Amino acid sequence: MQFNLNKDNDMKPREIIEYVYNALLEKGYDPVNQIIGYILSGDPTYITSHNNARSIVIKMERDELLEAMLKEYLKLDE
């Protein structure tokens, strides 16, 4: 998988979550538990640095990621 991150980080929350999820999975972690740990604690070490996943996830506020996940779960329009 190749990834190009431009300087303005125009990735949407869903793209960030999916990217981080895949990076965690590739490294053998339980992605759901790791992402939950990061969102609850704010500790970026829950996210692997593999494929720059940690750098990508910290560019967006945790509350924005959580909001996007809740909207997707409830299927609400933005």
Side-chain angles (χ1 to χ4, degrees):
M1 173 165 52
Q2 184 177 5
F3 180 76
N4 295 320
L5 178 66
N6 75 30
K7 294 178 183 176
D8 296 329
N9 190 30
D10 58 359
M11 292 179 74
K12 295 177 182 175
R14 179 184 187 97
E15 294 169 327
I16 291 173
I17 294 165
E18 288 176 352
Y19 188 82
V20 169
Y21 181 95
N22 288 326
L24 288 163
L25 201 58
E26 285 177 19
K27 291 304 284 182
Y29 295 108
D30 179 342
V32 173
N33 284 338
Q34 296 301 112
I35 293 170
I36 289 171
Y38 167 66
I39 289 174
L40 290 177
S41 71
D43 183 356
T45 61
Y46 276 97
I47 307 301
T48 182
S49 59
H50 177 66
N51 288 342
N52 277 339
R54 187 178 301 151
S55 298
I56 291 168
V57 79
I58 63 173
K59 291 184 180 194
M60 183 166 284
E61 296 292 327
R62 291 177 297 140
D63 62 331
E64 291 178 84
L65 294 172
L66 187 55
E67 178 183 348
M69 288 188 284
L70 183 59
K71 283 182 176 181
E72 178 64 24
Y73 178 77
L74 297 174
K75 299 291 185 193
L76 298 176
D77 294 325
E78 291 183 2

